[in-house]
Amino acid sequence: MKKLMVAALSACLLAAAPVQSSPEPKVLRYAFRSDITSFDPAKVSDTYSNTLITGMFDAPVRWAYLARPFKLEPSGCELPEISADFKTLTFKVRPGLYFHDDPAFKGQKRELVAADYVYSLKRHYDPQINSPNLYIMENAGLLGLSELRQKAMKNKNGLDYDTPVEGLKVLDKYTWQIKLSKPDPRFVNNLANPMAAALAREVVEFYGDRVGEHPVGTAAFMLKRDEWRRSSRIVLVKNPAYRDEFYNEEAPADRPHLQAAAAKFKGRKLPMIDRLEVAIIEEPQPRWLSFLSEEADYMQEVPFEFITVAAPNGQLAPNLAKRNIKMNRYPGADISFTFFNMTDPVVGGYEPAQVALRRAIGLAYDVDREIRLARKGQMVPAQGLMPPGTWGYRADLKTEMSEHNVAKAKALLDLHGFKDVDGDGWRERPDGSPLRLERATQPTADYRVLDELMEKALRAIGVRISFKQAKFPENLKASRSGKLQMWNVAWVATTPDAGYHLALGYGPNAGQANHSRFDLPQFNRLYEQQAVLPNGPERQQAMDQANKLAVAYMPYKISGHRVWTDLSHPWVIGAERNIFRRDFWQYIDVDMAAKRAAER
């Protein structure tokens, strides 16, 4: 009887005891202004896809999150051993890194090994993949890879991945090597790019053409595939088997709040959040309102339309300051431009009349007006291809690229035979045929402003232009195929070196970095010359000369370099922008208690 009474009492106590709940998941929410194109590192070059890829896959190395000046640190591999002639790079994979669980592995744990990096980099050479990043490796001349690609193209089949090549090989289970045909002191920087991320061959073969929908990497986050809604919502969750990696960042001396966060987080296991929710919100106004209403915790790149509301005169607005919202303003290492398709019969070509047409368009366009009206002061005029924050950029340079001179533009067109022959107020081409331009655009409010500025500028010199709308991924695909006459877009650096942007003018990069398909022998020689030189006066001179040619021939009308402002609610701790690295989420914390308190 006594035992029964004790048992009954114990049952009552257990029933009355409070249930131990698991900690509330830490969630970060923010928005992209465009959808991704793919999750396959070999198939993408856009910022949005690369941002998420960086969080799910390990490139060999990465940019240290807070280090200034910028420096590389280990990621999937230790920092490489680089030969004195900059032609051989030897990497050691960090042992004990495992791919996310996936049916492709048939229930087995799959470790990251050297062969994965060799296989993944070879994929860029596969003609069936059509990688937009192939130019990076072809320009560096990985020994034997271009020949292997040519053989595949000749046989009209995929790349033979099992054929050994000198330029990319496995030395042992964890060691692999790259050999270049020429010195490249900065090639290692490209291996912090998401294009160098490691995939498992089994995954690629298991999913085939749909591998871009099934990202399986070794990094801190995984795709929550059942919550992925195209053009609407993407969710990443913490990789439960992520390696032991701990916060060890050193914040810049001039950022006290980051120093405080770094001291607080030192030694914390990464990542610190459990879940990332990305909304695809193309229009600026709803994206801005989602942050104000606390539907988003973080606002990356406040839309220019709302910058005077968020940060009048460069200072955080009082109403936002009262809410303890944090602001981070920084110059982007980017260029915003309209390119001219050099193979197009209307705007392309190297004849004096065609060059004059592009230069006249450039002179007619009022960059200062764009900065005032479209960018709300958040851009500085560009003088060429090279952006601030990169080696090779010259702040003291002044060129025609930023000049606005309608009279000069009209005189150029008159001189080269672009005249109004039929008296309708619009100019014809020198042969008397109609002169009609078409620029690709996106169906959003910010693009409508830019289109109006271009239309007004060209109307002032008697040139007709129309605009063809499509979403960003569609325009990107058409641009790579050479199907767009003109397009207004931006190019964002992934490395602190202006050679990355000079690649936009290098002929062999056509259809990849070089959307204009500009192919000038003099420019190509200068690009090749600077690529093998160490940083110094000789390289700077070659880069400056290449930039002058780009300004003179005008394959790109470059408006400027954008200045960005990020905002975060007070419960987001430790957020900073590394302009050469896309992800940041594993280094921040979200105070969910403060977040819930704000919601009440």
Side-chain angles (χ1 to χ4, degrees), residues 302-308 374-376 378-379 562-564:
V302 172
F304 294 127
E305 296 91 321
F306 300 100
I307 195 65
T308 54
R375 309 296 183 179
K376 307 300 182 184
Q378 306 302 293
M379 188 168 81
R562 296 168 297 179
V563 177
W564 292 111

Side-chain angles (χ1 to χ4, degrees), residues 356-415:
L357 173 61
R358 293 191 298 273
R359 291 181 68 164
I361 293 169
L363 287 164
Y365 188 74
D366 190 344
V367 169
D368 288 340
R369 190 174 178 84
E370 177 182 334
I371 292 172
R372 291 196 315 272
L373 299 182
R375 309 296 183 179
K376 307 300 182 184
Q378 306 302 293
M379 188 168 81
V380 295
Q383 308 302 331
L385 283 169
M386 299 185 284
T390 62
W391 196 97
Y393 172 75
R394 283 182 42 198
D396 62 340
L397 186 65
K398 176 70 175 177
T399 73
E400 185 186 287
M401 189 63 75
S402 63
E403 185 179 352
H404 175 232
N405 191 325
V406 173
K408 188 174 176 181
K410 288 180 175 179
L412 263 177
L413 293 173
D414 290 342
L415 179 64

Side-chain angles (χ1 to χ4, degrees), residues 58-60 76-77 93 112-122 176 196-198:
D58 276 305
C77 301
V93 176
L112 177 67
V113 293
D116 297 316
Y117 281 106
V118 169
Y119 169 74
S120 298
L121 289 173
K122 278 185 175 180
W176 58 285

Side-chain angles (χ1 to χ4, degrees), residues 42 44 121-127 130-142 145-146 149-150 153 187 195 508-509 512-513:
V44 304
L121 289 173
K122 278 185 175 180
R123 291 185 72 232
H124 293 279
Y125 287 87
D126 192 330
N130 193 27
S131 167
N133 297 302
L134 174 64
Y135 73 96
I136 292 174
M137 289 183 288
E138 288 217 306
N139 291 350
L142 276 70
L145 268 299
S146 294
R149 174 178 167 82
Q150 291 299 321
M153 293 173 70
F187 181 75
M195 69 105 184
N509 294 347
Q512 298 177 73

Side-chain angles (χ1 to χ4, degrees), residues 571-599:
W571 49 84
V572 178
I573 308 167
E576 169 65 341
R577 280 300 297 276
N578 183 322
I579 58 175
F580 302 112
R581 181 171 173 176
R582 303 294 180 243
D583 68 322
F584 62 94
W585 334 296
Q586 64 176 302
Y587 300 98
I588 69 167
D589 196 8
V590 176
D591 185 339
M592 296 302 291
K595 183 176 178 178
R596 294 291 170 246
E599 291 174 349

Side-chain angles (χ1 to χ4, degrees), residues 99-110 200 202-207 214-216 222 225:
F99 285 96
H100 310 151
D101 290 340
D102 190 85
F105 301 131
K106 300 177 181 177
Q108 302 297 309
K109 296 291 290 181
R110 173 64 158 78
E202 306 97 290
V203 172
V204 177
E205 293 176 349
F206 186 82
Y207 290 109
H214 297 270
V216 181
M222 307 162 49
R225 209 167 176 283

Side-chain angles (χ1 to χ4, degrees), residues 340-344 347-350 358 516-518 553-555:
F340 303 95
N341 185 340
M342 296 295 287
T343 65
D344 182 83
V347 299
Y350 301 85
R358 293 191 298 273
S516 75
R517 286 170 158 73
F518 183 57
Y553 281 85
M554 199 68 72

